[in-house]
Amino acid sequence: MYLVPDGDELEIANAAADFLADAMTIDRLHGDAPADMSADLRAQLGVMGWYALALPEQDGGSGLSAIEFALFFREVGRQCGPIDVLAQCLAAMTVPDDSLRTELTRGTIGVALAVTDGEDIRVFGSSDAAYALLASRDGAQLIALKGMASQDRPSLDPSTSMRIAASQHSAIASRSGDYVWQMGQLATAAQLVGLAEAALDQIVEYAKVRETFGKKIGSWQAVRHPCADMAVRLEAARSQLWFAATAIKEGRADAGVHLDAAKHLANLASVANTDTNIQLHGGIGVTDEHHAHLYMKHALVLVKMFGARRNLLSRLLNAEVED
C-alpha cells in the first residue's frame, strides 16, 4: 500500500506552498479586523483550479485523488487559511448543477461553512458568502444565505468571521452519503497537520538563534525534549493522514475508521504543538505581533470541525478492517 507522497503529488504540494505563501501570507492576520476571504483571493484560487482539485474530470475538475487534496490543505493549514477555501471545495462536490458548480470552482460566488449549534447554525466564513455548506455523515446541503437573519459573533480565530443564523433554511442542492463529510474530515485533518508542522518549524528556527546563559536555547534539554515530543506527535498524525488519504483513494471499506483516527491524532498534535511553541518562545510567544498565537487559535477552531474522538472507538470496534 502506498504510504508516502512522491513524484507528481509532491509537485502539487510545492506549487500550493509557493502560491499560498504569496496569496495568503500569515502576516495578513495581524490587523484589527478578521482577515476574511476577499473576492480577489477567492477568484485567484479559482483561476489556479484549487477548488476543483479532487472533482472528476467529467464535472470540470482536475480528477486528482484524495492524496493531492490532503497535500493542498496541509499547505492551507500552514498559512492559517480561511475556512472558506474548504467550504468552496466541498460545495463544488455537493451541487449536481453544472452551471452552479462552474461558478463555485471559478470562485465567482462565495461559500461559508456551517455547523449546527443547538437550534441554530453557526456560520464560519466571509460575510459576502452567498451560500453555506452544512455537512454530516449522512449527507451535505448547500444553503442560501441571502435573506437569512444572522448575528455576528466575536471570533477567536482572526482568519475567519463567525455568525449565528436561524436553523430554518432551504437547501438549494444536496448530496447524500458520507463522501463530502469524509473529504471535509480529511482536509481538516490535513490543515491541522500543517499547523503542527508550522509550529515545530517555527520553534526549531528560534532555538537556533535565541541564546540564554551564553548558549543557543536548542542546546538545553528543557527545549530539545519538548521539540522531540512535537516531532513524534507530528509524525504519528502525518503518517495516519497519508494512510487515510490512501484508504479513500483505494476505496477501502475501513477508510472511515482511518479518517477518524487521522482527525483525532491531528487534533492532538496541532493543539499540543502550537501550545508548546508558545511556551518555548517565552514572553514573545504571547505577544500579538508574533505568529505563534495565530497557529493555536486556528487549531482550536479546526479541532471542533468534522468530528473528533467521539465516534472513534465505536467505529474501530465495528469496522471491517482490511489487511
Side-chain angles (χ1 to χ4, degrees):
M1 185 186 200
Y2 162 105
L3 287 177
V4 180
D6 60 8
D8 292 341
E9 292 150 352
L10 288 180
E11 290 185 17
I12 292 288
N14 292 335
D18 292 342
F19 172 78
L20 294 172
D22 180 61
M24 56 171 70
T25 171
I26 197 170
D27 291 329
R28 77 192 191 281
L29 301 180
H30 288 292
D32 294 329
D36 279 347
M37 169 82 91
S38 66
D40 180 61
L41 176 58
R42 186 183 296 120
Q44 287 184 56
L45 288 161
V47 169
M48 292 294 293
W50 296 122
Y51 301 132
L53 199 65
L55 278 179
E57 292 183 7
Q58 63 266 27
D59 291 337
S62 300
L64 298 178
S65 73
I67 296 169
E68 290 86 0
F69 189 72
L71 285 167
F72 169 67
F73 274 101
R74 182 180 65 165
E75 300 303 327
V76 173
R78 291 180 69 92
Q79 299 300 324
C80 293
I83 290 175
D84 308 61
V85 182
L86 174 57
Q88 200 89 15
C89 291
L90 299 181
M93 299 175 185
T94 301
V95 300
D97 181 73
D98 290 340
S99 60
L100 178 54
R101 189 189 307 116
T102 299
E103 287 190 275
L104 293 170
T105 56
R106 289 178 179 175
T108 55
I109 52 176
V111 182
L113 187 66
V115 298
T116 56
D117 184 2
E119 296 182 355
D120 299 319
I121 59 172
R122 189 172 294 257
V123 180
F124 296 85
S126 176
S127 57
D128 73 348
Y131 303 103
L133 190 283
L134 180 62
S136 70
R137 293 185 187 272
D138 298 321
Q141 298 179 336
L142 191 64
I143 303 165
L145 293 176
K146 184 178 180 180
M148 183 182 292
S150 64
Q151 294 181 332
D152 292 341
R153 289 288 187 272
S155 178
L156 173 72
D157 179 9
S159 74
T160 305
S161 291
M162 183 172 62
R163 56 197 184 276
I164 298 292
S167 60
Q168 291 80 17
H169 56 264
S170 57
I172 65 166
S174 62
R175 176 171 177 167
S176 60
D178 63 357
Y179 178 75
V180 175
W181 172 271
Q182 287 192 347
M183 295 301 280
Q185 194 172 34
L186 179 68
T188 307
Q191 290 179 81
L192 290 166
V193 167
L195 286 164
E197 288 177 336
L200 177 58
D201 290 347
Q202 188 176 57
I203 188 55
V204 167
E205 289 304 311
Y206 184 66
K208 294 176 182 178
V209 297
R210 177 74 167 95
E211 294 186 3
T212 58
F213 304 104
K215 292 183 179 181
K216 300 292 191 293
I217 64 170
S219 66
W220 301 105
Q221 288 186 355
V223 173
R224 290 206 309 259
H225 287 184
C227 286
D229 290 340
M230 291 171 74
V232 170
R233 281 191 295 265
L234 171 59
E235 188 57 36
R238 187 164 49 203
S239 297
Q240 184 60 43
L241 176 69
W242 302 147
F243 199 104
T246 303
I248 294 178
K249 178 180 179 179
E250 297 183 354
R252 290 173 58 110
D254 58 355
V257 177
H258 291 297
L259 275 169
D260 282 345
K263 181 59 167 54
H264 177 61
L265 291 175
N267 286 352
L268 297 179
S270 63
V271 173
N273 280 18
T274 55
D275 178 58
T276 302
N277 180 40
I278 292 173
Q279 300 302 321
L280 293 180
H281 270 86
I284 68 168
V286 295
T287 59
D288 186 65
E289 294 80 5
H290 205 272
H291 291 346
H293 70 98
L294 298 173
Y295 295 135
M296 187 171 195
K297 289 174 179 177
H298 198 53
L300 289 174
V301 172
L302 290 177
V303 296
K304 299 296 184 182
M305 307 275 183
F306 290 96
R309 74 184 74 182
R310 180 175 55 185
N311 298 313
L312 178 59
L313 181 59
S314 62
R315 289 174 68 80
L316 284 171
L317 293 175
N318 297 304
E320 179 182 343
V321 181
E322 297 180 356
D323 294 331

